[in-house]
């Protein structure tokens, strides 16, 4: 059974540990934080919920990042010392170096909404293969947009298929590719209502810690199960849409080793302009 290590026992890390455990896909979850008592306490709380939620995943708390070495999947969240924050790209790069991430063979996920730059720097400066280091927060945004569309149409969210691309909050939704129960969304949603949904999309960013945890847990489950899923992730593409060596949200086809392929959905000329303007805005904002 796979081992998942979560580095950071803040709010996001704790929520993620519980969500992964409750899905009962991993054999073990290691919650790692310098605040060892906090990590141990949260791990104990999750273990005590196992008879209620009926899972067998073993959750343990650790005070040394070395406990993450050897895990199949490592997820960076945020420190217990500042529980509502996420690892910065500087602190995250230091953690990746301590983990020996470039040589470990583990798939490394960055779960925070602010982790786009960490993914970018980990690939370009830390020289971690782009297929083994990526961020999961865009999947939470995709889920939020999906929920808004489902609410507007009065349908089940599971019937809605769409993706997000670019740099949130300037993300692009390729609406022409979106479907509801196999039907084109643009045929079901009047243009005025679709325009309102489009205008609301930037307001859905950043997602909260529980949505971020759910998104990361979904990606972890896909990696552990080797399921062919295509979530939206922060990736560093090798070209495509003018984004070479810059991290952006894009749909990524996964396998057990990480990203098998980055998918480039077709964009209209207006969507392509929006995407490039978003990348330029991200560059200006640093």
């Amino acid at each position: 059974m796979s081992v998942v290590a979560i580095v950071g026992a803040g709010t996001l890390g704790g929520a993620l540990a519980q969500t992964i455990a409750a899905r009962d896909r991993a054999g073990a979850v290691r919650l790692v934080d310098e605040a060892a008592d906090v990590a141990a306490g949260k791990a104990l709380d999750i273990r005590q919920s196992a008879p209620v939620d009926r899972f067998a995943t073993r959750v343990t708390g650790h005070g040394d990042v070395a406990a993450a070495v050897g895990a199949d999947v490592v997820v960076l969240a945020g420190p217990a010392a500042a529980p509502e924050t996420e690892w910065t790209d500087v602190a995250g790069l230091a953690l990746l170096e301590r983990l020996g991430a470039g040589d470990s063979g583990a798939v490394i996920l960055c779960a925070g909404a602010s982790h786009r730059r960490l993914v970018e720097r980990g690939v370009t400066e830390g020289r971690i293969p782009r297929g083994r280091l990526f961020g999961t927060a865009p999947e939470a945004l995709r889920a939020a947009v999906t929920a808004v569309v489902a609410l507007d149409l009065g349908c089940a969210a599971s019937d809605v298929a769409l993706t997000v691309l670019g740099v949130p909050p300037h993300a692009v939704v390729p609406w022409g590719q979106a479907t509801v129960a196999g039907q084109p969304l643009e045929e079901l949603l009047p243009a005025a209502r679709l325009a309102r949904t489009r205008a609301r999309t930037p307001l859905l960013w950043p997602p909260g810690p529980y949505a971020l945890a759910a998104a990361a847990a979904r990606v972890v489950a896909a990696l552990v199960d080797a399921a062919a899923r295509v979530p939206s992730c922060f990736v560093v593409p090798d070209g495509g849409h003018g984004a070479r060596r810059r991290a952006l949200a894009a749909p990524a086809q996964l396998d057990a080793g990480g990203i098998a392929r980055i998918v480039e959905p077709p964009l209209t000329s207006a969507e392509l302009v929006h995407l490039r303007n978003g990348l330029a805005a991200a560059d200006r904002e640093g």
Side-chain angles (χ1 to χ4, degrees):
M1 293 288 283
S2 299
V3 175
V4 179
I6 300 167
V7 183
T11 301
L12 174 56
L16 180 55
Q18 194 282 328
T19 305
I20 292 173
R23 286 176 177 246
D24 212 15
R25 293 292 193 275
V29 172
R30 302 171 186 167
L31 186 56
V32 183
D33 199 288
E34 288 183 350
D37 290 346
V38 175
K42 290 190 177 186
L44 175 60
D45 192 21
I46 295 168
R47 287 201 304 273
Q48 289 173 341
S49 73
V52 178
D53 285 338
R54 298 181 181 276
F55 63 83
T57 300
R58 177 168 173 76
V59 183
T60 54
H62 305 266
D64 191 330
V65 74
V69 175
D72 300 287
V73 181
V74 177
V75 188
L76 300 190
E84 304 307 319
T85 68
E86 302 164 352
W87 296 117
T88 64
D89 53 334
V90 174
L93 278 173
L95 285 170
L96 292 175
E97 183 176 343
R98 290 181 65 188
L99 289 165
D103 303 315
S104 70
V107 176
I108 303 160
L109 306 178
C110 298
S114 64
H115 282 167
R116 185 185 68 86
R117 281 282 293 157
L118 174 56
V119 171
E120 185 175 296
R121 294 187 65 184
V123 171
T124 59
E125 298 175 30
R127 302 194 180 281
I128 301 170
R130 68 186 76 234
R132 288 201 296 107
L133 173 64
F134 50 101
T136 56
E139 180 64 3
L141 176 60
R142 186 202 64 79
V145 178
T146 297
V148 169
V149 170
L151 184 64
D152 202 4
L153 288 174
C155 67
S158 58
D159 288 339
V160 180
L162 54 80
T163 192
V164 297
L165 186 71
V167 182
H170 314 292
V172 175
V173 177
W175 295 108
Q177 307 302 311
T179 61
V180 179
Q183 293 183 266
L185 173 63
E186 291 181 328
E187 294 180 5
L188 301 173
L189 202 59
R193 285 163 62 187
L194 183 58
R196 286 199 301 270
T197 300
R198 185 183 294 113
R200 291 174 65 184
T201 299
L203 305 178
L204 301 174
W205 187 264
Y210 296 101
L212 292 169
R218 184 172 189 271
V219 173
V220 169
L223 295 170
V224 169
D225 296 342
R229 293 178 184 161
V230 189
S232 187
C233 299
F234 281 137
V235 299
V236 180
D238 188 10
H241 297 314
R244 182 180 175 84
R245 297 180 68 80
R246 287 188 291 177
L248 76 163
Q253 182 178 329
L254 305 180
D255 60 20
I259 295 176
R261 182 172 68 95
I262 296 172
V263 180
E264 293 187 25
L267 301 177
T268 66
S269 56
E271 289 168 346
L272 188 57
V273 169
H274 187 175
L275 174 65
R276 291 174 174 168
N277 287 344
L279 288 169
D283 287 344
R284 290 193 298 271
E285 294 163 5

